[in-house]
């Protein structure tokens, strides 16, 4: 056996359980509770829908650059209704960018000019594209004051300054509909590469977008409940690039670069590889000045991390989500 694989596995089911939701722990600051021993939680979906697991990890398709000029990235993104198959035999209506969720991966280089023609084809809803964390002018950042009506388009254009390399993402930000449009599928990764990358190219650059899916037995996504509105929406399945517990094979004895994106609405992800050392090399703000070795990492919603993982031995390595109590608010 000369290949080594990892499974991105395990829903931290305690986060979705009624008992956890009934707790009132306002004194615990989210993000501060790194001390307690985590454990591997099995998946226990509340719905009857079964998702296939163990499929080969889908690489996010790149958004093609249609410009043929240096330092210019020009492309089209359309927000639209689409149909996907998460569970065997069930079609799920979603919203997707260019028909897919997560949306296509945007990859540019610092210093590039970016022009994205955005078309809103969501029936009867305004939308925008917000460039999360990116240094873009206020009139280009897709804020709720700048809605794009259904059936219309607008071009977002901005220049990414030197020093802006990092892991960002894009998502809608219309008034009153942001969370819903995101959980229905509208979110994508936006990577700004440095001109001179200190990380060796042979480590690759694999983007893992974690989303949180709630699926009814008929394959549809249920609307938000009152608890969702209070606590944020937590689903039944953590997906990685739209798949449940996908597998990736890499040659052992190699190092790989990953970008983790927490694109869930309200789930804190504590992630750990069993048996493969992790080194944090970057955060929301781009590369760190010095790498930090870590046994596990915590990603709050919307947060990103860049990591190097060292696959030293043959065999299977599992990426687990560990128990994390973020402190729930509720009536119990
Ligand atoms: Cu955002």
């Amino acid at each position: 056996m000369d290949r080594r694989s990892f499974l991105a596995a395990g829903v931290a089911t305690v986060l979705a359980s009624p008992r956890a939701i009934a707790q009132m722990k306002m004194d615990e600051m989210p993000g501060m509770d790194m001390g307690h021993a985590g454990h591997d939680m099995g998946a226990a979906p509340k719905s009857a829908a079964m998702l296939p697991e163990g499929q080969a990890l889908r690489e996010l398709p790149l958004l093609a650059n249609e410009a043929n000029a240096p330092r210019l990235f020009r492309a089209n993104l359309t927000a639209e209704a689409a149909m996907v198959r998460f569970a065997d035999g069930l079609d799920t209506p979603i919203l997707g960018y260019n028909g897919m969720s997560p949306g296509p991966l945007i990859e540019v280089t610092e210093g590039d000019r970016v022009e994205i023609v955005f078309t809103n084809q969501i029936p009867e809803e305004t939308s925008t594209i917000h460039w999360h964390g990116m240094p873009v002018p206020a009139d280009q950042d897709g804020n709720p004051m700048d809605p794009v009506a259904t059936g219309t388009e607008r071009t977002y254009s901005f220049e990414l300054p030197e020093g802006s390399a990092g892991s960002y993402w894009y998502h809608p930000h219309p008034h009153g509909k942001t969370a819903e449009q995101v959980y229905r599928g509208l979110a994508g990764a936006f990577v700004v590469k440095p001109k001179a990358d200190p990380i060796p190219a042979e480590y690759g650059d694999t983007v893992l977008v974690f989303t949180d899916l709630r699926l009814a037995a008929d394959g549809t996504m249920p609307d938000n409940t009152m608890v969702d509105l209070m606590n944020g929406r937590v689903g039944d399945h953590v997906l990685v690039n739209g798949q449940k517990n996908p597998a990736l094979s890499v040659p052992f004895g190699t190092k790989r670069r990953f970008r983790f994106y927490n694109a869930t609405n309200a789930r804190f992800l504590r992630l750990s590889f069993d048996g493969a050392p992790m080194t944090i090399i970057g955060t929301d703000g781009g590369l760190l000045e010095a790498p930090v070795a870590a046994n596990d990492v915590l990603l709050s919603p919307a947060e990103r991390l860049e990591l190097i993982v060292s696959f030293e031995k043959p065999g299977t390595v599992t990426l687990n989500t560990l128990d994390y109590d973020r402190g729930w608010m509720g009536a119990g």
Side-chain angles (χ1 to χ4, degrees), residues 130-133 169-173 178 302 304:
H130 175 63
W131 314 98
H132 187 107
W169 61 299
Y170 61 96
H171 64 80
H173 195 5
T178 297
R304 291 85 67 200

Side-chain angles (χ1 to χ4, degrees), residues 258-316:
F258 292 99
R259 294 173 197 257
F260 288 178
Y261 280 72
N262 184 346
T264 71
N265 179 262
R267 194 189 282 272
F268 285 71
L269 295 170
R270 244 186 92 208
L271 299 164
S272 175
F273 281 97
D274 63 342
M278 285 191 289
T279 304
I280 302 171
I281 57 167
T283 63
D284 288 352
L287 287 178
L288 298 170
E289 274 179 33
V292 180
N295 289 322
D296 56 67
V297 296
L298 178 70
L299 284 136
S300 55
E303 208 177 350
R304 291 85 67 200
L305 278 179
E306 246 180 284
L307 303 150
I308 291 172
V309 182
S310 192
F311 298 93
E312 288 158 0
K313 293 170 292 209
T316 297

Side-chain angles (χ1 to χ4, degrees), residues 201-288:
E202 69 258 30
Y203 291 6
D205 194 345
T206 304
V207 173
L208 300 182
V209 176
F210 296 86
T211 54
D212 198 359
L213 176 70
R214 185 184 301 165
L215 215 52
D218 67 354
T220 61
M221 292 182 189
D223 290 335
N224 271 339
T225 64
M226 194 55 114
V227 171
D228 295 332
L229 296 175
M230 291 173 71
N231 282 315
R233 180 185 177 98
V234 172
D236 307 319
H237 309 274
V238 172
L239 303 184
V240 185
N241 294 359
Q243 297 169 288
K244 184 164 183 179
N245 295 346
L248 175 68
S249 291
V250 301
F252 76 87
T254 59
K255 290 183 164 70
R256 303 281 298 192
R257 176 196 207 154
F258 292 99
R259 294 173 197 257
F260 288 178
Y261 280 72
N262 184 346
T264 71
N265 179 262
R267 194 189 282 272
F268 285 71
L269 295 170
R270 244 186 92 208
L271 299 164
S272 175
F273 281 97
D274 63 342
M278 285 191 289
T279 304
I280 302 171
I281 57 167
T283 63
D284 288 352
L287 287 178
L288 298 170

